């Protein structure tokens, strides 16, 4: 039987690690090829590793046809949902697959809008339901929908999207390898690409330190929240009270002035800390 290998489809899903491939090979040598290879016509869409192992060791295998696909995008959507159903898929892989599904569905929705006179509100753009092969009316392709379909949180989806858009290749590889968490990688992805690469070269501890420094700098740079209306009234009332009492007792004014001095000193210390962190990060980049 002539089986065609489409390299685009083979590369669409992350390959097995060497350990995973070796485990699959041992299992097939002991038990044979239990799952049928899935074909779309002559094209293999599921079972690339199993086919290679069968051909290497002369193991018999079966095939099954899936003829309901109308395009390569249909096949890709099926591959995504099929892979998301597996327990061995990491959270990062789940997020990447969910974002790929989002892109396919969004592209289809855009084409449908251009070719259909229907109002935009009626154009479906949802990827929430596993197994969906075409947009369905009345649904939205929200981050929550993607997270639910992928089995991860919407916050994780947002972090993975940031990583895929701004992370250097070295940082993406570190996340895939489990050297750094998704949360920490999203923080490090805020740095210039050269600094990301330097942090990756420094290993796990260097990556964790870089993520910590980024978080601390972001926290220090956040402006203080403006007081609410009720809080403003309380502050004004307190100020008036202090003003009235200060005429009778100058000690209140002294306390306020001392508190202002303390706050000013704390603010200066924070600025100094930010400068030190920035200098340390720059030194680490140069050292790398």
């Amino acid at each position: 039987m002539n089986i065609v290998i489409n390299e685009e489809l083979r590369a669409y899903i992350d390959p097995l690690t060497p350990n995973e491939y070796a485990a699959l090979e041992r299992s097939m040598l002991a038990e044979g090829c239990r799952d049928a290879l899935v074909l779309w016509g002559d094209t293999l869409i599921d079972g690339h590793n199993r086919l290679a192992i069968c051909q290497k060791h002369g193991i018999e295998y079966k095939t099954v046809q899936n003829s309901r696909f109308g395009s390569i995008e249909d096949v890709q959507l099926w591959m995504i949902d099929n892979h998301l159903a597996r327990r061995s898929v990491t959270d990062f892989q789940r997020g990447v697959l969910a974002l790929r599904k989002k892109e396919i569905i969004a592209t289809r929705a855009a084409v449908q809008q251009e070719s259909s006179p229907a109002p935009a509100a009626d154009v479906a753009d949802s990827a929430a339901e596993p197994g969906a092969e075409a947009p369905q009316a009345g649904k939205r392709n929200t981050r929550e929908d993607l997270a639910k379909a992928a089995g991860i949180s919407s916050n994780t989806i947002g972090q993975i999207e940031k990583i895929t858009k701004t992370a250097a290749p070295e940082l993406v590889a570190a996340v895939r390898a489990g050297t750094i968490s998704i949360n920490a990688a999203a923080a490090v992805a805020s740095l210039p690409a050269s600094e990301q690469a330097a942090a990756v070269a420094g290993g796990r501890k260097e990556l964790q330190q870089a993520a910590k420094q980024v978080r601390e700098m972001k926290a220090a740079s956040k402006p203080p929240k403006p007081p609410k209306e009720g809080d403003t009234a309380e502050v004004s009332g307190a100020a008036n009270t202090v003003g009235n009492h200060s005429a009778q007792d100058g000690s209140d004014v002294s306390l306020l002035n001392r508190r202002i001095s303390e706050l000013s000193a704390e603010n200066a210390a924070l600025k100094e800390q930010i400068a030190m962190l920035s200098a340390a990060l720059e030194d680490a980049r140069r050292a790398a």
Side-chain angles (χ1 to χ4, degrees), residues 2-55:
N2 181 38
I3 296 180
V4 177
I5 303 297
N6 182 308
E7 292 301 330
E8 180 184 356
L9 293 179
R10 188 214 290 266
Y12 197 67
I13 302 296
D14 283 347
L16 296 179
T17 65
N19 288 339
E20 290 171 337
Y21 189 92
L24 176 62
E25 188 171 24
R26 288 193 300 269
S27 173
M28 291 180 62
L29 286 171
E31 304 176 14
C33 186
R34 295 179 298 175
D35 298 323
L37 311 181
V38 183
L39 302 176
W40 175 40
D42 293 335
T43 303
L44 181 64
I45 63 174
D46 183 60
H48 293 85
N49 294 305
R50 297 196 302 277
L51 176 62
I53 294 171
C54 287
Q55 291 176 335

Side-chain angles (χ1 to χ4, degrees), residues 105-126 135 139-141:
I105 298 299
T107 300
R108 287 188 167 185
V111 172
Q112 185 176 344
Q113 283 183 350
E114 292 177 358
S115 61
S116 174
D122 293 335
V123 177
D125 59 353
S126 173
K139 293 186 178 180
R140 290 294 174 190
N141 190 13

Side-chain angles (χ1 to χ4, degrees), residues 38-41 45 65-71 74-75 77-79 81-82 108 130-134:
V38 183
L39 302 176
W40 175 40
I45 63 174
Q65 279 286 338
N66 194 330
S67 58
R68 59 194 177 98
F69 303 128
S71 66
D74 288 342
V75 175
L77 286 172
W78 181 88
M79 292 176 68
D81 290 331
N82 187 53
R108 287 188 167 185
E133 295 178 9

Side-chain angles (χ1 to χ4, degrees), residues 258-271:
R258 186 164 58 190
R259 182 55 180 159
I260 290 172
S261 298
E262 291 173 353
L263 291 173
S264 298
E266 290 176 4
N267 187 42
L270 284 173
K271 289 182 178 179

Side-chain angles (χ1 to χ4, degrees), residues 147-257:
K148 183 178 179 180
I152 55 180
S153 70
S154 59
N155 184 54
T156 300
I157 284 285
Q159 291 171 340
I160 293 172
E161 189 168 19
K162 178 180 180 181
I163 292 169
T164 58
K165 289 181 177 179
T166 63
E170 296 88 346
L171 182 59
V172 174
V175 182
R176 292 187 184 278
T179 306
I180 184 173
S181 68
I182 295 171
N183 183 286
V188 177
S190 302
L191 298 172
S194 59
E195 295 183 18
Q196 294 180 41
V200 173
R204 185 186 298 270
K205 289 186 178 180
E206 185 67 27
L207 282 167
Q208 292 173 343
Q209 183 62 25
K212 180 181 178 182
Q213 290 176 346
V214 170
R215 294 188 186 112
E216 288 176 346
M217 285 189 289
K218 285 185 177 180
S221 64
K222 286 183 178 179
K225 294 182 179 180
K228 298 179 181 179
E229 185 176 349
D231 295 338
T232 304
E234 291 179 6
V235 172
S236 299
N240 290 334
T241 301
V242 171
N244 293 334
H245 284 287
S246 64
Q248 301 173 0
D249 189 356
S251 62
D252 291 337
V253 174
S254 299
L255 288 173
L256 287 174
N257 288 334

